[in-house]
Amino acid sequence: MKPPPTKAPLPWISPLQYRSPTRAAPSPPPPPPPPPPDTPTPLRYIHHHDLARLITSSPSAQRALDLFNAAAAQRGFSHTPATFSALLIRLARGRLPSAAAAVLRRAASAPCRFVEPQFLPLLRLLPADHSLTLLRLLPALLRRSRVSHKALAVCLDHLVSSRCPDVLTELLADLRDPQNKYLPTPNTCIYNILIKHYVKKGDLGTAFNVFDEMREFNCADVRPGLVTYSTLIGGLCRGGKMKEAFELLEEMIEKGRIVPDQLTYNLLISGFCRLGQVEKAQSIFGFMRKNECEPNAFNYAALINGHCKKGEVESARGVFEEMISSGIQPDAVSYTSLIGCLCRHGNVDEGINLVQEMWQKGCKADVVTYNLVLEGLCKDGRTVEAMTLLERLPLEGVKLNCASYRIVMNCLCSRGEIDKAAGLLGMMLQRGFLPHYAASNTLLIGLCDVGRVADATVALYGLVDTGFMPEASCWARLIESVFRERKLRRSIELLDVLIAEG
């Protein structure tokens, strides 16, 4: 039986393409009109922790302030200490102290319970006058009668470091005034900051007056300690008053019953070495050990430096070896002092070996160390090795400075090695460094003297591009050399440069 014949499939018509033959297709609805440009996009409700995070990470302080104000416009929203603190720190870092002052006045009238740690970073970030204003406002913000010793110490240390004498004087006047109603009675930390301030100013008389005032107190909160004595001893040592410094050390031990540490001893060691009295500095080591205080790396470094300044190579090497035998790894300062001493006294190869030893022991040599090696090589006339170092060290990650190149350039010019000096000039200009003014003039004249007038002209144009102007005698020598070679056009160009540059 044959199956019934199948009909051809009808063409499939999509419902989306179907149109009724009796009705016209409806036109699509017009798109909604775009919102006017002045209509702000409605913000979702923002919570306090999200707002603090957005304020902290905002790209600008003004944007942080806008977020703060926009959040306050939300129904039922009131700022918390966290949002106030985040905005204040952002405004201080954005250098908008006036805006921060306005927000602080607003915070003082807000029903928030602030805690002191929220304002301590602000005391360090604000300018000196605004920091003092905040300190005076803290009792109202914290709902207490006076600020704490910690807040006072932070503000005082900031004012001392900011070098604003008028604002500091104002705070000191409040501190001395027994009628002030917002500052606590000074404790040891406050007195130590004041003593450090006067010692740094070089006013040892006032520093010791504050010290005497401390000793007049008979309470545990005000008592000279190790920091107090060390600060005064350091001031005496820097002033060369070593006898008074040692007497103060003895007073600290006998009367104050305070045990010195390595830092205190190091002040005396460095002071004696600064005066060239290395033998007395050496005796401090014995004094330290007698008082059960073993020298550390800084003590050894100071003594090594003292011997090096006097040119006592063997003594410096002996202290260095003693340091290693005591189980103390030399630091970069110790290595650099000894390397400089060796290079200055003709032992450059030993100095270079010490540099390699530094790398092997993980103690990285810096530009100061390499400049000492370059000086030693130049002093020995080993300019080829010095040039090789200049070319190689930047490729190894060592950041040289202008002095590194000038050391070698001055040596080459003084020795008359003009060819090498010209090559070094190209390297310097390519790396953005400029020789000394005298060395540049010497190099240009030297090139003219050996008949390399074209090279002198090229070098001149390279130097002029960096703002260099040769002295009159150098100009005359250049023009004369160019005329002698009958290069009139180049001479006129040089004269044009001379006239244009004045």
Side-chain angles (χ1 to χ4, degrees), residues 299-357:
N299 303 138
Y300 279 107
L303 188 58
I304 290 170
N305 189 47
H307 284 297
C308 291
K309 284 185 175 179
K310 293 189 70 175
E312 299 172 350
V313 181
E314 292 301 324
S315 300
R317 188 187 287 115
V319 176
F320 187 83
E321 293 172 354
E322 178 188 338
M323 180 181 184
I324 296 175
S325 63
S326 298
I328 299 175
Q329 174 62 36
D331 58 1
V333 177
S334 305
Y335 272 112
T336 301
S337 297
L338 184 55
I339 289 169
C341 185
L342 292 169
C343 292
R344 281 192 296 270
H345 293 83
N347 298 318
V348 183
D349 291 327
E350 187 177 352
I352 294 174
N353 291 336
L354 280 180
V355 174
Q356 295 174 350
E357 181 182 314

Side-chain angles (χ1 to χ4, degrees), residues 202-215:
D203 189 358
L204 289 177
T206 306
F208 273 97
N209 289 338
V210 177
F211 177 64
D212 293 337
E213 185 179 326
M214 289 182 72
R215 293 192 289 191

